[in-house]
């Protein structure tokens, strides 16, 4: 979230409260959007599993967040590494009239807004491990990863007293805490569990590009709540700036990706348009409150090209990132976070200026500290969790189940039922009977 601003008095604003409730709903719809985006990108035999890996996060993380996640992320600081507040455990000590300190919205509204971030972040990881992970193992991984990685990192970056927050690392809405965190985790897990059967040999094309485009559209729509809502109100114009920059950077990134794709591969693809848009959304997430609209164009265009280049690295280095989580979310998050050090204008969320606005490289080095600390912690911790699960209950489905289809093996269902296609048994229409009685035959 944006660094705290102090208002004259902690008094509820109906306008800001309503706005934040709408933003919370917008962020929630991003997870089904992600499910469709990922679901369309996999082969037909893995569609339902991909959808479920996002939807189960909506169930598991919601409960964890209420029980202890909110307390760990936004409770009283302990050692700049973790938070804890007994009143936040189970939300038993929160009254409906309590106002989030320094703002004009209820604690409940802030908590539920942050819940939606906690839900989608681990769901992002699922795209890297498509086609091959047991649903039970994934669900247990969700619990462990949210507890050990996401909740502490959220405190580092956004919690008062968190080391990155106090250092002055700028992360408006989740470049480090969400995207680099999830992208690095994805890389850690896939290095442990290995490649899909047939990787680099069998065609693994998206089975439904319309679903991909639908998912990307829902993500784009919901992202306005994700980004603009992260200022927690509209009292000073920073939220609207973030809203505007979100649209601008996303458009620039989509165009940048498509241009690279046309030059490199000779075609403008729908998958490229969708992926480029997501890359722009990722990159502007940390930086949109600090840059001008022209800066947003630069951030988006750079991220679009870099992410388009990065998705091919898996073939060069041999790691199987099924749906390009590393190439889009980790690389896009790194780009957007580090570019703050160059394009921060000093006219947005704070007076911090980047290199191109006369501020030198001081903010760039702060951004580097946040980016690489989160990347290293998430990668290592996630790899350890995956290793422990793999050595105990096993992370992967059997080879035969992977080949035949994880949907049937894990969910006893298939995404599309064609048994009724064709309209059933053919009907025979009787030929008309001639009315000979009414006819006279001439002698």
């Amino acid at each position: 979230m944006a660094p705290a601003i102090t208002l004259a008095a902690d008094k509820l604003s109906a306008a800001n409260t309503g706005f934040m409730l709408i933003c919370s709903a917008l962020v929630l719809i991003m997870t089904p959007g992600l499910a469709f985006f990922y679901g369309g990108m996999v082969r037909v035999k893995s569609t339902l599993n991909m959808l479920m890996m996002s939807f189960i996060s909506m169930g598991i993380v919601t409960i964890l967040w209420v029980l202890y996640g909110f307390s760990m992320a936004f409770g009283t600081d302990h050692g700049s590494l973790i938070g804890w507040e007994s009143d936040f455990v189970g939300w038993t000590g929160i009254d409906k009239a309590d106002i989030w300190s320094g703002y004009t919205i209820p604690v409940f509204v802030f908590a539920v807004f942050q819940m939606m971030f906690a839900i989608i972040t681990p769901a992002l990881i699922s795209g890297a491990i498509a086609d091959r992970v047991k649903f039970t193992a994934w669900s247990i991984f969700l619990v462990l990863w949210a507890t050990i990685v996401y909740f502490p990192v959220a405190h580092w970056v956004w919690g008062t007293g968190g080391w990155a927050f106090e250092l002055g690392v700028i992360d408006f809405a989740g470049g480090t805490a969400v995207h680099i965190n999830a992208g690095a985790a994805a890389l850690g897990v896939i290095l442990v569990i290995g490649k899909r059967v047939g990787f680099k040999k069998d065609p693994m094309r998206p089975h439904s590009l319309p679903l991909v485009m639908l998912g990307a559209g829902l993500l784009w729509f919901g992202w306005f709540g994700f980004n603009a809502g992260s200022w927690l109100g509209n009292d000073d114009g920073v939220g609207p700036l973030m809203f505007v920059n979100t649209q601008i950077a996303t458009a620039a990134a989509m165009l940048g990706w498509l241009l690279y794709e046309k030059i490199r591969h000779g075609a403008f693809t729908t998958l490229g348009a969708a992926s480029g848009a997501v890359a722009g959304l990722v990159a502007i997430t940390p930086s949109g409150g600090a840059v001008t609209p022209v800066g947003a164009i630069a951030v988006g265009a750079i991220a679009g090209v870099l992410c388009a280049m990065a998705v091919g690295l898996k073939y060069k280095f041999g790691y199987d990132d099924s749906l390009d989580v590393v190439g889009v979310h980790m690389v896009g998050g790194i780009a957007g976070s580090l570019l703050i050090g160059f394009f921060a204008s000093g006219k947005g969320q704070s007076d911090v200026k980047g290199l191109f606005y006369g501020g030198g490289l001081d903010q760039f080095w702060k951004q580097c500290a946040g980016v690489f600390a989160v990347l290293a912690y998430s990668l290592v911790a996630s790899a350890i969790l995956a290793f422990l699960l793999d050595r105990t209950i096993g992370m992967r489905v059997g080879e035969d189940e992977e080949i035949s289809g994880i949907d049937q093996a894990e969910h006893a269902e298939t995404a599309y039922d064609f048994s009724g296609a064709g309209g059933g048994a053919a009907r025979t229409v009787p030929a008309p009977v001639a009315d000979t009685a009414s006819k006279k035959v001439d002698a």
Side-chain angles (χ1 to χ4, degrees):
M1 290 309 103
I5 55 174
T6 302
L7 303 179
D10 291 342
K11 183 178 179 182
L12 187 144
S13 163
N16 284 340
T17 298
F19 172 72
M20 290 306 301
L21 288 172
I22 293 171
C23 286
S24 299
L26 286 171
V27 180
L28 179 63
I29 205 172
M30 291 171 65
T31 300
L34 180 72
F36 284 124
F37 182 69
Y38 282 168
M41 289 177 70
V42 295
R43 291 168 290 180
V44 67
K45 63 183 180 180
S46 303
T47 306
L48 294 181
N49 181 252
M50 206 69 261
L51 296 175
M52 280 293 288
M53 290 176 85
S54 287
F55 268 77
I56 196 61
S57 184
M58 297 168 71
I60 290 174
V61 178
T62 294
I63 303 304
L64 297 181
W65 190 251
V66 173
L67 293 179
Y68 59 84
F70 181 57
S71 180
M72 290 178 65
F74 292 99
T76 302
D77 177 68
H78 294 275
S80 297
L81 296 175
I82 198 67
W84 191 258
E85 181 62 57
S86 58
D87 285 347
F88 293 168
V89 177
W91 296 5
T92 54
I94 303 174
D95 186 83
K96 66 180 181 181
D98 291 342
I99 305 299
W100 188 244
S101 179
Y103 292 86
T104 58
I105 61 174
V107 175
F108 274 132
V109 174
F110 177 74
V112 80
F113 180 69
Q114 285 294 330
M115 176 193 289
M116 306 314 178
F117 281 71
I119 287 170
I120 195 171
T121 304
L124 293 171
I125 303 169
S126 65
I129 56 177
D131 298 331
R132 58 201 190 274
V133 172
K134 296 176 183 176
F135 190 68
T136 300
W138 167 247
S139 300
I140 296 172
F141 179 84
L142 270 178
V143 174
L144 297 174
W145 191 85
T147 303
I148 295 171
V149 181
Y150 181 77
F151 300 158
V153 169
H155 181 75
W156 298 355
V157 175
W158 294 322
T160 301
W163 70 264
F165 182 90
E166 297 301 327
L167 179 63
V169 176
I170 294 175
D171 186 357
F172 196 98
T176 51
V178 175
H179 297 290
I180 295 172
N181 200 4
L187 181 59
V189 174
I190 58 181
L191 291 177
V192 170
I193 67 171
K195 308 173 184 66
R196 288 168 290 178
V197 175
F199 176 64
K200 293 203 292 187
K201 296 178 182 178
D202 300 336
M204 297 181 179
R205 292 184 292 269
H207 90 278
S208 176
L209 288 169
L211 271 186
V212 174
M213 297 296 278
L214 172 64
L218 287 172
L219 284 169
W220 195 332
F221 176 69
W223 222 293
F224 289 112
F226 193 86
N227 280 358
S230 290
W231 198 242
L232 307 182
N234 288 312
D235 299 305
D236 58 4
V238 175
L241 172 66
M242 184 55 158
F243 190 105
V244 168
N245 283 344
T246 298
Q247 176 66 18
I248 292 170
T250 307
M254 181 176 65
L255 297 177
W257 186 301
L258 288 173
L259 179 61
Y260 173 84
E261 193 174 56
K262 177 65 174 178
I263 295 171
R264 182 72 174 81
H265 303 292
F268 303 113
T269 69
T270 51
L271 182 60
S275 299
V278 172
L281 291 165
V282 170
I284 202 62
T285 291
S287 58
V291 303
T292 66
V294 172
I297 294 175
V299 169
I302 292 169
V305 174
L306 286 179
C307 291
M309 296 169 64
V311 296
L313 294 178
K314 62 184 180 182
Y315 300 109
K316 181 178 181 180
F317 294 109
Y319 61 87
D320 185 7
D321 175 15
S322 304
L323 307 183
D324 302 319
V325 179
V326 176
V328 173
H329 292 278
M330 192 179 84
V331 173
I334 291 171
S337 297
L338 296 185
L339 287 172
I340 293 171
F342 296 94
F343 290 103
S345 68
K347 298 178 181 180
Q349 67 185 80
S350 69
D351 59 2
V352 171
K353 294 182 179 180
L355 179 64
F356 297 157
Y357 288 80
L361 288 172
D362 182 61
Q363 189 60 38
F364 175 76
W365 296 121
K366 292 179 180 180
Q367 295 303 119
C368 286
V371 163
F372 294 109
V374 170
L375 190 157
Y377 176 70
S378 184
L379 190 152
V380 173
S382 303
I384 291 172
L385 291 176
F387 178 82
L388 293 175
L389 285 173
D390 196 44
R391 291 299 183 270
T392 51
I393 64 172
M395 283 285 283
R396 294 188 64 143
V397 298
E399 184 173 333
D400 290 342
E401 293 173 322
E402 183 179 335
I403 293 172
S404 61
I406 197 170
D407 283 359
Q408 192 64 51
E410 291 292 299
H411 307 290
E413 297 171 305
T414 55
Y416 305 101
D417 182 1
F418 298 110
S419 62
R427 294 188 301 123
T428 302
V429 179
V433 178
D435 186 5
T436 55
S438 64
K439 295 181 179 179
K440 293 183 180 179
V441 179
D442 293 332

